[in-house]
Amino acid sequence: MSHVAHDLHAEFPNDGNILHDLKMSDAHFLTVSDRYHDINKEIHRIAAEVEAASDERSEELKKQRLLILDEVAAMISKARAA
């Protein structure tokens, strides 16, 4: 298993400018981005065995991360269309 954290720029490598613009202009996006960062950091710590967690907790965090990624993808699509 990779112990590399997946920030939003790594997940959406072609959308760095849009991510930056959203972060600067959209308070909701900033909240979503911060939540993604927090969850992703926790997943990374569990994967690196710095922090202990049950399999259920780890899977729940991964599901939350995927839901946030879906929301971010929708926000990027909306920003592209604007």
Side-chain angles (χ1 to χ4, degrees):
M1 170 178 268
S2 172
H3 295 300
V4 176
H6 298 246
D7 68 7
L8 288 175
H9 288 278
E11 294 292 338
F12 301 98
N14 298 323
D15 298 309
N17 290 336
I18 293 172
L19 290 170
H20 176 75
D21 292 346
L22 285 169
K23 209 171 207 180
M24 301 276 84
S25 65
D26 187 328
H28 176 66
F29 179 82
L30 186 57
T31 300
V32 170
S33 175
D34 287 346
R35 180 74 180 131
Y36 175 84
H37 174 74
D38 291 343
I39 289 171
N40 197 49
K41 185 176 175 181
E42 188 172 350
I43 291 169
H44 177 70
R45 290 176 58 80
I46 292 166
E49 298 181 356
V50 173
E51 191 173 305
S54 67
D55 289 345
E56 292 82 12
R57 173 70 179 150
S58 182
E59 290 304 312
E60 180 58 33
L61 288 168
K62 289 175 184 178
K63 288 177 186 177
Q64 289 177 27
R65 180 172 63 181
L66 286 174
L67 288 173
I68 292 171
L69 285 174
D70 287 346
E71 185 174 358
V72 169
M75 294 171 107
I76 289 170
S77 292
K78 184 177 176 183
R80 273 195 206 122

